[in-house]
Amino acid sequence: MIWLGIDTANTPLSVAIVKDGVLMMEENTALAVNHSLSAMPAIENLLNKVGMTPADIDRIAVSEGPGSYTGVRIGVTIAKTLAWTLEKPLVGISSLKVLASNVLFFDGIICPLVDARRGNVYAAGYQFDKSGLVSVFEDGHYSLDELIARLTEQEKPVLFVGKDTALHEQALLEQLGHRATFAPLQFNLPRASSLIHAAEHSAREAEVHTFVPEYRRMAEAETNWLKAQGKEPGRG
Amino acid sequence: MTKDIYIVGIETSCDETAASVVRNGNEIISNVVASQIISQKRFGGVVPEIASRHHVEQITLVIEEALISAGLKPKELDAVAVTEGPGLVGALLIGVNAAKAFAFANGLPIIGVHHIAGHIYANELMQPMAFPLLALIVSGGHTELVLMEEHGSFKLIGETRDDAAGEAYDKVARVLGLPYPGGPQIDRLAAESDGVVDFPRAWLESDSYDFSFSGLKSSVINYKHNLEQRGEKVNPHHVAAGFQVSVVEVLTTKAVKAAREYGVKQVIAAGGVAANSGLRASLEEAFGKEEIPFYVPPIALCTDNAAMIAAAGSAMYVDGVRGTLAMNGKPGMPLDSWK
Ligand SMILES: [Zn+2]
């Protein structure tokens, strides 16, 4: 069983090949701001280095968001096109769950976090048990205050993971005190191997043609349109 | 007998998700377009984020349908051609990345096509191009006069300095309270009209082939405003007819002047606004008098489609042009020669 994993949901880029439960190769970078240009060359390079062809891939895992709208779309477009034309199954995994999967064995709440500007974050709450990561509160676009309120409810230690946690470290420490801990740097980038691990344990195989990103937020024009119609905009 | 060449074209530069298979650069085998008009209508125009979301939803379905109706397997293709630019960046890169992934998975070369070159090559699907050739490209995003001396060589001799012709149509339609997209609405009102409001023509400098439509748009707004101030009602038919006649006269006059100056053997019109019946009739009449062959593709090939991208891609393929997996969407891609 050969897995290709692709994560371009935010600024970092990660691609990996896992063969029969063994990580063959992974490329991680926090600098690949232009995924549109660099994601496909990274995948080509990966397959060349491990001596495989696209036809050797058995399954494809992709980070489905939330995150940068454009970033998520690039990964999802590449993944669904490969899965469709190679006729292989596709599994989408939350980009926040990918980050949480970097720090599986924490005893408490694992809180992956990605900055969404203007005091907002994409975040989720997970807890680890024998069956894997269990959702405590769902992936969403939260204001930092909303997120802190949810974490305060839990009365458990919290481990924040993701490179953007640094932006909010002070506020989180002020509010949560000693209950807040922060993952060290080597765990803060999404890893396609973590993505593949989560995908291997997921029962959720995607319907390739209709597969779309989990934006977790409506497009602004859509929100404004709903408001103009006198309807309450939801969470996309 | 030489082997047939099959190219799949992919186009996502604005709000149409399209794929098409073309044989030997001039024969459409399949042509699939998923339009977002119904969705974008709510917003009165194309919203880039909404367009990008739709493209991701449609892209593999559209390419699959193009292959199935062509009765071809990916490996039977010779290359993948995709719109590289110009266009909406977020929209372009859906097509570009799908094209790269598809080409890579099937071991096919990839070719990045300029959207305007695509519009021009839509004509190759109807009759062979003859050089030197003058192309008038008029659409929601473009108003350009392009001179071609041979395949793959494009010389921009005139372009809009502000709004594209189609953009002006949409804006004026909004002023008149007509639904999006405005072009066909104004064309219809103008055709039915029994009177014409006299609006100015923007000729610019006498030696210039450039265009400008924002002044005309302002004239329409001022005209409506003045009437309303006096408590009079605007006749939308007369305004539409006056606006259209001004746009059409400038486009036709400049195209004729350029055709004479460069001694072209063929004139073609392309782009969504080339579907406009008023413009079509005026150009046909003018070039009929000039005795220069003039062509406009059928409406389905004037508006954005992927057959035109496959047609241009085919000519590039024959010319040996190849892209790489590092290709990116280029929103401001210049119309350079591909040679
Ligand atoms: Zn166009």
Side-chain angles (χ1 to χ4, degrees):
Chain A
M1 173 69 65
I2 296 168
W3 279 90
L4 168 67
I6 306 165
D7 189 325
T8 63
N10 289 289
T11 334
L13 169 81
S14 185
V15 288
I17 293 279
V18 167
K19 185 183 178 188
D20 301 329
V22 178
L23 173 59
M24 307 293 290
M25 191 179 156
E26 184 171 53
E27 185 189 320
N28 298 308
T29 167
L31 301 176
V33 283
N34 200 333
H35 295 315
S36 176
L37 185 153
S38 53
M40 275 313 300
I43 292 167
E44 182 186 36
N45 178 47
L46 198 67
L47 287 171
N48 284 343
K49 288 236 168 95
V50 296
M52 290 177 188
T53 66
D56 293 328
I57 299 166
D58 296 308
R59 274 167 186 270
I60 294 161
V62 67
S63 179
E64 66 185 11
S68 136
Y69 293 164
T70 299
V72 172
R73 272 196 287 271
I74 290 165
V76 166
T77 299
I78 290 173
K80 76 187 273 189
T81 305
L82 289 175
W84 158 67
T85 192
L86 295 169
E87 298 177 50
K88 297 296 158 64
L90 172 67
V91 179
I93 297 290
S94 147
S95 56
L96 294 166
K97 195 175 187 180
V98 173
L99 275 175
S101 301
N102 280 351
V103 289
L104 280 183
F105 301 103
F106 182 70
D107 187 14
I109 309 287
I110 301 170
C111 180
L113 182 154
V114 172
D115 187 56
R117 291 192 289 250
R118 286 178 246 153
N120 297 308
V121 292
Y122 289 112
Y126 289 97
Q127 231 176 330
F128 179 71
D129 74 12
K130 276 166 258 124
S131 62
L133 287 173
V134 180
S135 173
V136 177
F137 59 91
E138 63 165 355
D139 282 27
H141 179 260
Y142 300 103
S143 73
L144 200 59
D145 294 340
E146 253 178 286
L147 176 67
I148 289 167
R150 281 184 183 251
L151 291 168
T152 312
E153 268 170 30
Q154 298 296 325
E155 299 179 340
K156 283 187 183 138
V158 183
L159 173 62
F160 292 98
V161 59
K163 71 175 180 56
D164 293 350
T165 52
L167 299 169
H168 304 289
E169 191 167 337
Q170 201 154 5
L172 293 168
L173 275 173
E174 266 167 32
Q175 299 291 320
L176 296 166
H178 66 278
R179 289 207 288 123
T181 50
F182 297 86
L185 67 94
Q186 70 271 31
F187 299 114
N188 279 334
L189 290 187
R191 298 189 54 173
S193 54
S194 292
L195 160 67
I196 293 169
H197 174 80
E200 278 188 317
H201 292 84
S202 168
R204 218 159 46 101
E205 203 173 282
E207 211 283 281
V208 174
H209 282 313
T210 55
F211 184 69
V212 288
E214 284 289 346
Y215 298 104
R216 297 282 165 185
R217 232 191 141 195
M218 265 187 189
E220 211 177 318
E222 193 88 38
T223 315
N224 294 342
W225 184 81
L226 283 174
K227 274 188 196 150
Q229 309 298 304
K231 291 178 196 150
E232 190 55 33
R235 274 193 189 273
Chain B
M1 211 182 88
T2 49
K3 187 192 159 295
D4 284 331
I5 294 166
Y6 291 94
I7 308 276
V8 63
I10 298 171
E11 149 70 35
T12 65
S13 69
C14 190
D15 64 339
E16 322 277 6
T17 318
S20 161
V21 177
V22 164
R23 176 164 47 210
N24 299 328
N26 56 18
E27 190 185 341
I28 299 175
I29 308 299
S30 68
N31 190 16
V32 181
V33 181
S35 169
Q36 303 179 10
I37 263 192
I38 291 166
S39 163
Q40 306 281 1
K41 221 172 185 160
R42 286 190 293 154
F43 309 110
V46 178
V47 178
E49 175 60 22
I50 305 279
S52 304
R53 289 187 179 198
H54 279 294
H55 285 311
V56 184
E57 232 171 272
Q58 296 290 336
I59 189 72
T60 55
L61 263 173
V62 167
I63 304 172
E64 180 176 83
E65 207 181 313
L67 293 179
I68 289 175
S69 54
L72 290 173
K73 299 246 176 307
K75 308 260 179 210
E76 296 174 87
L77 298 167
D78 292 280
V80 182
V82 64
T83 308
E84 191 177 1
L88 303 169
V89 62
L92 284 169
L93 54 81
I94 302 303
V96 165
N97 279 282
K100 291 199 292 183
F102 180 75
F104 174 64
N106 296 294
L108 298 170
I110 184 158
I111 297 163
V113 177
H114 192 284
H115 184 78
I116 294 304
H119 273 303
I120 295 172
Y121 271 82
N123 283 278
E124 188 78 352
L125 297 164
M126 304 313 298
Q127 70 284 319
M129 291 157 85
F131 304 106
L133 173 153
L134 180 73
L136 171 67
I137 298 102
V138 271
S139 74
H142 299 274
T143 312
E144 275 139 32
L145 274 171
V146 175
L147 179 72
M148 286 181 72
E149 270 152 352
E150 57 177 327
H151 279 293
S153 137
F154 306 93
K155 204 161 129 200
L156 187 65
I157 58 173
E159 63 186 322
T160 181
R161 293 188 186 164
D162 38 61
D163 293 348
E167 213 178 339
Y169 267 95
D170 283 340
K171 286 178 179 170
V172 167
R174 216 172 303 153
V175 171
L176 294 176
L178 301 170
Y180 172 86
Q185 308 281 346
I186 291 190
D187 193 21
R188 183 178 53 81
L189 291 190
E192 292 167 356
S193 184
D194 58 358
V196 179
V197 179
D198 188 32
F199 291 119
R201 275 77 171 138
W203 297 114
L204 305 175
E205 307 79 43
S206 63
D207 59 341
S208 173
Y209 288 116
D210 281 351
F211 303 97
S212 165
F213 296 106
S214 70
L216 173 59
K217 177 195 66 195
S218 306
S219 301
V220 173
I221 294 171
N222 290 340
Y223 171 81
K224 181 175 179 244
H225 186 74
N226 289 341
L227 279 194
E228 282 169 352
Q229 288 239 304
R230 297 202 301 264
E232 290 172 38
K233 271 201 79 156
V234 173
N235 182 325
H237 285 84
H238 293 181
V239 173
F243 168 78
Q244 172 136 322
V245 111
S246 168
V247 172
V248 164
E249 190 182 320
V250 173
L251 289 173
T252 305
T253 307
K254 295 214 176 197
V256 167
K257 192 174 165 224
R260 281 186 196 146
E261 181 181 336
Y262 293 98
V264 302
K265 292 212 175 74
Q266 195 179 81
V267 177
I268 60 174
V273 181
N276 181 292
S277 66
L279 178 60
R280 217 180 249 239
S282 163
L283 290 167
E284 265 160 16
E285 197 200 319
F287 288 109
K289 275 190 203 145
E290 296 290 315
E291 294 180 359
I292 302 172
F294 168 75
Y295 302 102
V296 191
I299 290 174
L301 295 177
C302 278
T303 50
D304 287 353
N305 65 87
M308 68 185 203
I309 301 303
S314 300
M316 294 171 80
Y317 177 82
V318 170
D319 232 11
V321 182
R322 302 289 183 272
T324 71
L325 288 182
M327 183 190 293
N328 195 4
K330 287 194 196 130
M333 186 176 181
L335 180 61
D336 287 337
S337 300
W338 70 54
K339 302 235 168 222

